[in-house]
């Protein structure tokens, strides 16, 4: 949909069978290849106010508009925009949709927030909790993907989605189950249209949010990581909430 500009302060079912007596049963459908399991990138850190500070810089009229469109926030973040370095943007997940704002300047020279809304099919938002302990093996994704297949067969090649190396590195820090849940809806014909991520804290303790959005589906993750100083990201403890919703046409 066309973004709205708002004022801103300066600051599986089984395969079908043919009828009896008329032919042979169809072979079970071959499961699609699993999504790629990404390598964790090293997270960079810069001194910056937290999301609450940047949220306070968003005009109250914009916040009210977002709530009207997507409902009361379930998860959200706000941060400096990568282009407008003195102005914030915000991402809000609500029960009725996903909202993403972008700072703009209109033709009259006024500062505004352009708002993109991905509305959800009513009651389609679902959530699940994904946890990882340091002792948990990182082979969970392959176990899920191979279940029900002949273990003697070669595993299918993983599918790479159209993501930047930066985003792949962010996903690589997440538990494999979380990577799978975020990416699986986009393994078919549905392309990812937009995506973003945000984290805050330190290597030892951080909070992270990210989403992937297409024409039919939005997936979203939010959670907390702890990691001993100097340890490999695979030894992190994670508790994440994963969300998925159908996008209304």
């Amino acid at each position: 949909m066309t973004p709205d500009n708002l004022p801103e302060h300066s600051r599986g079912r089984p395969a079908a069978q043919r009828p009896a007596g008329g032919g042979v049963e169809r072979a079970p459908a071959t499961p699609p290849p699993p999504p790629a399991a990404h390598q964790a990138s090293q997270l960079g850190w810069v001194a910056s106010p937290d999301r609450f500070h940047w949220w306070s810089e968003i005009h109250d009229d914009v916040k009210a508009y977002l709530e009207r469109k997507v409902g009361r926030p379930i998860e959200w973040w706000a941060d400096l925009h990568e282009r407008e370095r003195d102005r914030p943007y915000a991402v809000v997940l609500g029960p009725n949709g996903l909202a993403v704002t972008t700072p703009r300047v209109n033709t009259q020279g006024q500062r505004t927030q352009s708002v993109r809304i991905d509305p959800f099919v009513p009651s389609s938002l679902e959530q699940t909790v994904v946890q990882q302990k340091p002792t948990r093996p990182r082979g969970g994704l392959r176990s899920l993907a191979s279940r029900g297949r002949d273990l003697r067969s070669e595993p299918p090649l993983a599918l790479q989605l159209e993501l930047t190396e930066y985003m792949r590195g962010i996903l690589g820090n997440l538990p494999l189950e979380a990577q799978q849940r975020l990416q699986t809806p986009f393994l078919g014909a549905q392309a990812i249209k937009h995506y973003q991520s945000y984290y805050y804290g330190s290597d030892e303790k951080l909070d992270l949010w990210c989403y992937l959005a297409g024409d039919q589906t939005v997936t979203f993750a939010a959670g907390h990581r702890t990691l001993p100083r100097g340890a490999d990201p695979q030894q992190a403890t994670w508790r994440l909430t994963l969300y998925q919703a159908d996008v209304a046409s």
Side-chain angles (χ1 to χ4, degrees), residues 5-6 8 58 79-90 100-106 110-115:
N5 288 312
L6 299 173
E8 180 195 36
I58 302 289
D79 194 19
L80 276 178
H81 190 262
E82 61 182 7
R83 185 188 69 251
E84 302 289 343
R85 296 302 298 171
D86 64 335
R87 300 172 62 197
Y89 76 98
V100 181
T101 80
T102 304
R104 307 280 191 196
V105 176
N106 65 18
Q110 299 170 319
R111 291 187 169 194
T112 66
Q113 286 280 343
S114 173
V115 182

Side-chain angles (χ1 to χ4, degrees), residues 169-214:
I170 294 294
L171 293 177
N173 280 276
L174 302 180
L176 286 171
E177 182 182 353
Q179 294 188 49
Q180 181 194 41
R181 289 181 180 274
L182 285 168
Q183 297 180 94
T184 294
F186 307 100
L187 295 182
Q190 180 183 193
I192 297 174
K193 296 298 185 182
H194 59 107
Y195 54 89
Q196 293 198 58
S197 63
Y198 169 78
Y199 58 89
Y200 191 87
S202 66
D203 282 329
E204 290 76 35
K205 293 184 179 181
L206 70 83
D207 295 303
L208 182 146
W209 294 261
C210 66
Y211 76 84
L212 307 176

Side-chain angles (χ1 to χ4, degrees), residues 17-166:
Q17 298 179 355
R18 295 184 181 178
V24 296
E25 295 181 358
R26 295 179 183 175
T30 302
H38 302 291
Q39 295 295 317
S41 64
Q42 184 173 358
L43 301 178
W45 302 99
V46 294
S48 175
D50 63 15
R51 63 185 180 130
F52 295 96
H53 168 84
W54 297 114
W55 181 251
S56 71
E57 295 288 303
I58 302 289
H59 195 290
D60 287 344
D61 288 348
V62 177
K63 296 175 186 175
Y65 178 84
L66 299 180
E67 186 163 330
R68 288 197 302 272
K69 287 295 186 178
V70 305
R72 293 182 64 84
I74 297 172
E75 303 285 356
W76 64 274
W77 81 79
D79 194 19
L80 276 178
H81 190 262
E82 61 182 7
R83 185 188 69 251
E84 302 289 343
R85 296 302 298 171
D86 64 335
R87 300 172 62 197
Y89 76 98
V91 174
V92 178
L93 176 74
N96 303 323
L98 175 74
V100 181
T101 80
T102 304
R104 307 280 191 196
V105 176
N106 65 18
T107 55
Q108 288 76 43
Q110 299 170 319
R111 291 187 169 194
T112 66
Q113 286 280 343
S114 173
V115 182
R116 174 171 185 155
I117 303 292
D118 290 294
F120 295 159
V121 172
S123 303
S124 69
L125 183 65
E126 298 179 346
Q127 68 181 67
T128 188
V129 173
V130 172
Q131 298 187 76
Q132 174 181 285
K133 302 297 183 183
T135 56
R136 181 178 179 182
R138 293 275 291 197
L141 182 59
R142 179 162 295 179
S143 297
L144 287 171
S146 63
R147 192 169 298 162
R149 294 204 318 266
D150 184 350
L151 297 180
R152 295 170 296 179
S153 64
E154 290 294 324
L157 295 175
L159 292 179
Q160 288 277 3
L161 301 181
E162 291 294 326
L163 299 169
T164 62
E165 286 299 320
Y166 176 81

